[in-house]
Amino acid sequence: MNFDAFFKISYGLYVISSEHEGIKSGYVANTAFQVTSEPPQIAISCNKNNFTCHLIERSGQFSISILNQASKADIIGLFGYKSGTDINKFEKAEFIYSKASTPVLTQDCIAWFDCRVKQVVDTGSHLLFIGEIIENELLDKDAEPLTYAYYRDVKKGSAPKNAPTYIDKSKLKDHETKISPTSNKYVCLACGYIYDPAVGDVENGIKAGTSFEDLPDDWTCPTCGSLKSMFEALED
Ligand code: FE
């Protein structure tokens, strides 16, 4: 199997949310796609270990928020890479309730859909939920949606282990060329982002040529928002 071929499949990036008996959660997904237009239906693929997956199974409802390409990394850090069993992800995020009382993330979001589950397909590690759209809203018609390719190539993010598209980096043929030579690079253990001193973190005011040690103490991972203490030096 050539795992690099999987990177040629295009995806968007979304936050999927649900609530059951007053407990709400959400996660970052890249698998959401329209399956029919009449009736309008969308499918999502959700890891069974994902807390939100249990909430969707029980409530029979989920919302999909399409992330803005211009969104800050911290929204992905908040909704991805962490479990809703540990924190209330909505405490720090802007959201609304749909007419059917599904929580909908609106922060850094350009459109959303509220769906009622019509079918569930067990695919082994994941549940495929097919939902009929019962409400939706376009929040910003001019903004570009964030794609997985943009997130990976421009924002240097990677899929968390629960994602259906997660690929063990050691399986990639060009793995060695991607991380070598390391030149004092550091990897974020939470999300896989690699800090490269030769590149810096210009978006957040860190000039190229800044060593990891010289990053300010309050600098955080531009992909997931983790502190410097979550980083580990890449071995040569
Ligand atoms: Fe990170």
Side-chain angles (χ1 to χ4, degrees), residues 188 190-193 221 223-226 231:
C188 173
C191 74
Y193 165 84
C221 172
T223 302
C224 77
S226 289
F231 280 72

Side-chain angles (χ1 to χ4, degrees), residues 33-164:
F33 59 98
Q34 185 175 358
V35 283
T36 53
S37 57
E38 203 48 61
Q41 294 184 111
I42 289 183
I44 58 167
S45 180
C46 189
N47 191 295
K48 289 177 184 173
N49 294 327
N50 197 322
F51 183 54
T52 309
C53 190
H54 299 286
L55 298 178
I56 297 171
E57 272 188 291
R58 283 160 183 77
S59 68
Q61 293 196 179
F62 62 89
S63 70
I64 301 171
S65 300
I66 302 176
L67 292 173
N68 192 333
Q69 189 186 82
S71 62
K72 295 246 173 63
D74 51 4
I75 198 75
I76 293 173
L78 181 61
F79 280 88
Y81 308 111
K82 295 184 185 88
S83 173
T85 50
D86 305 326
I87 54 159
N88 178 1
K89 299 180 180 182
F90 286 90
E91 211 169 63
K92 293 180 185 167
E94 291 165 28
F95 72 100
I96 57 166
Y97 276 106
S98 70
K99 286 175 190 154
S101 303
T102 313
V104 179
L105 179 81
T106 50
Q107 184 178 330
D108 292 321
C109 159
I110 60 176
W112 60 265
F113 300 89
D114 186 25
C115 303
R116 183 176 292 141
V117 175
K118 288 292 182 191
Q119 276 186 70
V120 185
V121 181
D122 191 329
T123 61
S125 58
H126 289 67
L127 290 180
L128 190 70
F129 293 108
I130 299 170
E132 184 171 352
I133 299 165
I134 50 176
E135 189 184 351
N136 75 337
E137 194 179 358
L138 178 64
L139 300 175
D140 188 340
K141 70 176 172 59
D142 298 318
E144 289 290 325
L146 178 60
T147 63
Y148 183 44
Y150 186 89
Y151 174 66
R152 199 182 62 238
D153 297 339
V154 181
K155 292 186 185 285
K156 306 294 179 198
S158 62
K161 280 195 170 167
N162 275 354

